[in-house]
Amino acid sequence: MADQTESSVVIDSTPGNVLGVIADFERYPAWAGAVKEVEVLDRLADGRAARVRFTLDAGAVRDTYALDYTWATQPDGTGELSWKLVQSGVMKAMDGSYRLVPSAAGTQVTYRLAIDLRMPMLGMLRRKAEKTIIDTALTELKKHVES
């Protein structure tokens, strides 16, 4: 999956606070509209999530999927949290990441995503769907962190 869609937003908070919200998977249903249930299936020795199962209901798209996480973050929250799909009914693959970098106005969060569905889809439509997912996720994250 070479093609990825990417977007960024600046959130008025420290990288550590932003990463704390991103890493608190069990609370996603309270602020991420399409996420209905979350279960951390496996944790690393330090307590961070290693595998997480999500139940998604975005109207026309419903799926339960599991992601494996890789943490390349610093104690201050900067760095990258990435994931790979390990199980899904709708997707063949989903690779993504959040990259957190300090900025003068808080934290620049860059979200990258590449999805491969089990059903055929034109590349242009897939990228548009990825862009919608990314923009919605960043908007909801910013709103939640800054509230």
Side-chain angles (χ1 to χ4, degrees):
M1 286 191 344
D3 291 341
Q4 286 192 329
T5 302
E6 175 181 310
S7 191
S8 296
V9 68
V10 174
I11 298 177
D12 184 13
S13 190
T14 65
N17 288 339
V18 176
L19 183 61
V21 170
I22 292 169
D24 192 0
F25 298 106
E26 292 95 342
R27 293 199 181 188
Y28 278 30
W31 61 269
V35 179
K36 300 307 176 193
E37 293 180 36
V38 178
E39 181 182 3
V40 176
L41 302 174
D42 193 19
R43 292 191 183 273
L44 301 171
D46 63 8
R48 295 179 299 176
R51 180 171 287 182
V52 182
R53 181 174 42 232
F54 297 85
T55 300
L56 180 75
D57 185 349
V61 178
R62 295 179 183 172
D63 194 15
T64 297
Y65 58 93
L67 303 175
D68 277 351
Y69 285 88
T70 301
W71 299 80
T73 55
Q74 301 302 311
D76 68 354
T78 59
E80 187 169 278
L81 173 60
S82 59
W83 58 87
K84 287 197 175 291
L85 182 74
V86 292
Q87 178 250 330
S88 169
V90 175
M91 297 175 281
K92 287 194 290 188
M94 177 170 57
D95 297 339
S97 68
Y98 281 110
R99 180 155 192 78
L100 284 72
V101 177
S103 77
T107 303
Q108 180 175 333
V109 181
T110 301
Y111 187 161
R112 293 183 184 103
L113 185 66
I115 297 174
D116 190 8
L117 300 173
R118 294 190 186 280
M119 60 186 159
M121 181 182 275
L122 292 174
M124 181 178 71
L125 293 175
R126 181 180 48 78
R127 282 187 295 282
K128 184 175 180 178
E130 290 169 353
K131 179 76 169 141
T132 300
I133 291 166
I134 289 170
D135 289 346
T136 300
L138 288 174
T139 298
E140 290 177 335
L141 176 64
K142 179 178 175 69
K143 181 179 176 183
H144 182 69
V145 171
E146 292 180 351
S147 64

